[in-house]
Amino acid sequence: MNKSLNRRAIMTAMLAGSAAPWIMRSTAFAASSCDDHIVRMGCTFAPDTLNPFATWAAGWPTVFSYDPLVGVDAQRHDDRKGFAKEWSVADDKLTWTFKIWPGMKWSDGQPATARDAAFTYNYLLGSIGKPDELNVGASNTSGLENVESIAALDDETLQIVTEAPSGWPVDNTTLIVPEHIWKDISYADARSTFRNDPPLVGTGPLIVSEFQQGQFARFVPNEHFRMGKPAAAGMILNFFATADPIGQSLKSGDLDYGVGLTPAQWADLSSDPAIVVGQSRIEQRNFLAFNTLPGNGAGSTKSLQDPAFRDAIGYAIDQKTIVDRAMRGHADPGVGLVMPVATDYYSDLSDIRRPFDLAEAGRRLDAAGYRDTNGDGVRKDKEGKSFQLELITGAASGTLEMPIAAVQLIAGWLGQIGIPISVTQLDSGALQARYATSANGGGGWDLLVAQSWLSPTPADLLSLGSSKLVGTQNMSYWTNEKFDKLLAEAEVTVDLKKSRELIDQATRLIYTEAPYIMLCYPLLLEARRKDCFEGWGTQDMVSMWSSVPLGRLRSI
């Protein structure tokens, strides 16, 4: 049998005219075999640009081509270092020194030095306070307000001095970019129109050579990678609107690896002898958000601005049932802002945690003035008006898809307590446009079921309540001066015990005010084939925070 026809073959004739346009939309599934040594992966992420200063949606694929200075993975694993090979902080807890890999080069052969790292951070720093401040993408100005200076002492030494003790120099996930490519890009272009089209120039093992938005990113091996040129001939990362095609493509051999699988797919693939499945805790939070805005962008009823109304709704959400039924057990029940994987800061809030109790939800709504005054089964607001809430939902790029079954459960529970719900499903771009600030055309919705997947640092754990991130990470528009003060103090606290206290206070404050109801913390469900490549990770097959293990994969 011709293996190339059996392995990854696209059955064009069989699918012609069928309901499977996802396979026919790109050349990324070109007929191939293990012999081409090209890694094929599938995900549900939807990057809109390759410019890390302009979007939160491009972690995959940009993290395979660029490195953070240190970031999450390098602090967890000795073999997952980024742009810096090692680092230290002085006794004053203010002066950080980073040693850059000696002799490292960009993929175009130019030297990659501490001067590029200094440029990247000073590029961001110089934008602070300007109309075009670089505060809209994953590489942003957050945390830099506490920085006194950033300088390259020589090609291999970067020094960062902070104004107060802070973990930001190692915790930030800013991607280091080459000065010789970015030095002439204006702030206005960097935060909007500059797409950073391929080929990228990076220090990662795989360099984006082609990008088709909504379809795929193609990579070539970095000839100058610091650990040696990767053995794989390249990689194709396929982007899917839903997880549905990923499972079948793994079974057929069209993909080597898939992430963001549904529980049903994962269960099906776990019985396939050609496939290995894995699951692990991650930093994602799935939540129900309330539109707390008054005035422009407000929801359909003022009740959304009332903490008593939101608190009562919290009693009508059964997180355990969401985990058991919608997530099929592949999640932890939602509680507060901090997810279980952030072990230094997690608390189950047992002393203030709301139990699931529809009767109690009804009593609290009654007490707050939201009653069914005419016996029609629908509650009225404090002005005596009936209301129906619009719930919008969708999968934000860079996060795992939330099963619609969870939304259906929520709508059912709220209906039982006299609050009718209409559901609107949106794609990633449309969803982001709806929860943007009113000044940017967003708002006007009532409830939002969405996800957030950031790092386990104090700033990111508390980002959902940050007034600086309203319309991006803060999707409820809720602001609170005390919360912001706790966040600001947590950002400049390096003592773990003190940091825990600050985060616990902030978590309890926002839990009580209830601009969000945490639904669950999903597990990452992934799978890979056994037949083409070896060198995959064990605890996590592919890191969500770095390029590991893609530079190490070898053909079998």
Side-chain angles (χ1 to χ4, degrees):
M1 177 180 290
N2 186 331
K3 186 179 180 183
S4 66
L5 294 178
N6 190 39
R7 173 76 170 104
R8 307 190 209 266
I10 298 186
M11 297 172 286
T12 306
M14 292 177 61
L15 293 173
S18 76
W22 56 269
I23 278 185
M24 302 305 295
R25 63 186 184 162
S26 79
T27 61
F29 274 110
S32 176
S33 75
C34 294
D35 297 333
D36 68 8
H37 308 300
I38 293 175
V39 182
R40 287 169 171 80
M41 307 201 328
C43 66
T44 55
F45 304 152
D48 50 355
T49 173
L50 298 180
N51 177 355
F53 301 104
T55 184
W56 286 87
W60 278 28
T62 54
V63 76
F64 305 140
S65 295
Y66 296 120
D67 286 300
L69 183 64
V70 178
V72 176
D73 254 11
Q75 296 183 75
R76 290 176 174 173
H77 307 277
D78 289 338
D79 63 343
R80 299 187 183 186
K81 300 292 175 58
F83 203 83
K85 182 180 181 180
E86 56 190 53
W87 57 91
S88 61
V89 62
D91 291 341
D92 64 5
K93 304 298 182 185
L94 303 176
T95 305
W96 292 78
T97 302
F98 300 86
K99 301 303 290 185
I100 308 307
W101 294 88
M104 185 164 61
K105 293 182 179 182
W106 294 102
S107 54
D108 64 358
Q110 294 290 314
T113 73
R115 303 183 199 286
D116 293 291
F119 164 78
T120 301
Y121 289 120
N122 284 316
Y123 184 63
L124 288 164
L125 189 61
S127 77
I128 292 179
K130 296 182 177 178
D132 295 312
E133 180 174 343
L134 299 178
N135 56 6
V136 296
S139 291
N140 59 62
T141 56
S142 179
L144 281 163
E145 64 274 4
N146 182 45
V147 170
E148 181 177 300
S149 65
I150 301 176
L153 304 185
D154 56 47
D155 281 356
E156 295 177 11
T157 310
L158 177 75
Q159 183 184 81
I160 298 179
V161 181
T162 60
E163 295 177 353
S166 170
W168 177 87
V170 290
D171 289 340
N172 78 88
T173 54
T174 297
L175 298 177
I176 305 302
V177 298
E179 180 178 9
H180 64 282
I181 300 295
W182 286 84
K183 64 182 179 180
D184 295 324
I185 307 299
S186 70
Y187 290 141
D189 288 343
R191 64 171 276 142
S192 58
T193 58
F194 181 64
R195 291 182 56 80
N196 195 26
D197 290 329
L200 299 189
V201 175
T203 50
L206 296 168
I207 302 301
V208 180
S209 61
E210 182 183 0
F211 173 59
Q212 296 293 331
Q213 184 175 343
Q215 297 184 38
F216 65 92
R218 191 184 304 274
F219 300 76
V220 295
N222 182 356
E223 301 271 351
H224 302 285
F225 184 50
R226 59 185 174 271
M227 306 306 290
K229 180 183 175 182
M235 184 176 83
I236 298 171
L237 178 62
N238 294 275
F239 308 120
F240 297 104
T242 72
D244 294 339
I246 297 177
Q248 186 56 46
S249 296
L250 281 163
K251 292 178 74 105
S252 67
D254 290 323
L255 291 178
D256 296 298
Y257 170 85
V259 67
L261 300 171
T262 67
Q265 288 175 318
W266 190 88
D268 179 45
L269 293 171
S270 66
S271 62
D272 190 320
I275 292 173
V276 177
V277 298
Q279 63 176 337
S280 57
R281 280 178 166 160
I282 55 172
E283 295 80 6
Q284 181 167 316
R285 302 167 283 195
N286 293 356
F287 51 79
L288 172 69
F290 297 82
N291 179 349
T292 66
L293 275 178
N296 290 338
S300 63
T301 171
K302 292 180 180 178
S303 62
L304 299 166
Q305 303 163 34
D306 183 357
F309 177 83
R310 302 192 301 258
D311 174 68
I313 297 299
Y315 285 87
I317 306 299
D318 186 351
Q319 284 90 347
K320 185 178 184 304
T321 294
I322 288 175
V323 169
D324 291 344
R325 293 175 55 183
M327 308 300 293
R328 299 197 186 186
H330 296 286
D332 293 304
V335 186
L337 289 181
V338 182
M339 66 295 295
V341 74
T343 53
D344 284 340
Y345 304 109
Y346 176 72
S347 169
D348 65 5
L349 304 179
S350 58
D351 57 323
I352 62 171
R353 188 171 179 173
R354 305 178 190 93
F356 173 62
D357 189 334
L358 291 175
E360 179 63 18
R363 285 191 291 270
R364 287 176 178 260
L365 288 169
D366 287 343
Y370 305 99
R371 301 173 179 272
D372 175 9
T373 55
N374 60 3
D376 65 354
V378 177
R379 293 182 182 273
K380 313 300 184 292
D381 63 19
K382 291 182 178 181
E383 298 172 348
K385 300 177 182 177
S386 297
F387 58 87
Q388 174 175 293
L389 301 183
E390 180 197 22
L391 187 157
I392 62 173
T393 189
S397 180
T399 65
L400 305 182
E401 187 177 351
M402 182 72 171
I404 193 63
V407 176
Q408 294 168 341
L409 287 169
I410 293 167
W413 291 322
L414 296 190
Q416 290 182 61
I417 60 172
I419 300 176
I421 301 294
S422 65
V423 176
T424 302
Q425 284 188 272
L426 302 169
D427 63 27
S428 177
L431 187 70
Q432 288 179 309
R434 289 294 301 273
Y435 67 68
T437 61
S438 57
N440 289 323
W445 50 272
D446 298 321
L447 303 176
L448 163 69
V449 169
Q451 313 85 29
S452 172
W453 188 353
L454 299 175
S455 78
T457 62
D460 282 350
L461 291 174
L462 302 182
S463 61
L464 290 181
S466 171
S467 63
K468 296 179 181 179
L469 297 176
V470 167
T472 56
Q473 294 304 312
N474 182 347
M475 303 177 202
S476 72
Y477 313 117
W478 176 83
T479 60
N480 181 282
E481 185 176 344
K482 182 178 179 181
F483 185 94
D484 279 341
K485 288 181 178 178
L486 291 167
L487 170 55
E489 189 173 354
E491 286 183 313
V492 296
T493 300
V494 294
D495 179 75
L496 181 57
K497 181 179 179 182
K498 178 61 176 175
S499 184
R500 283 172 176 161
E501 293 173 355
L502 293 168
I503 290 176
D504 187 63
Q505 291 178 52
T507 298
R508 290 170 178 273
L509 172 59
I510 198 170
Y511 186 90
T512 303
E513 288 278 315
Y516 301 93
I517 305 298
M518 290 297 141
L519 304 176
C520 66
Y521 314 108
L523 301 182
L524 179 75
L525 303 182
E526 55 184 347
R528 65 170 178 83
R529 291 189 63 86
K530 301 177 181 179
D531 52 354
C532 281
F533 295 93
E534 61 184 6
W536 302 96
T538 51
Q539 201 170 29
D540 50 354
M541 295 177 187
V542 175
S543 171
M544 296 295 110
W545 291 106
S546 72
S547 60
V548 174
L550 300 180
R552 309 172 186 174
L553 295 184
R554 303 171 301 278
S555 295
I556 296 174

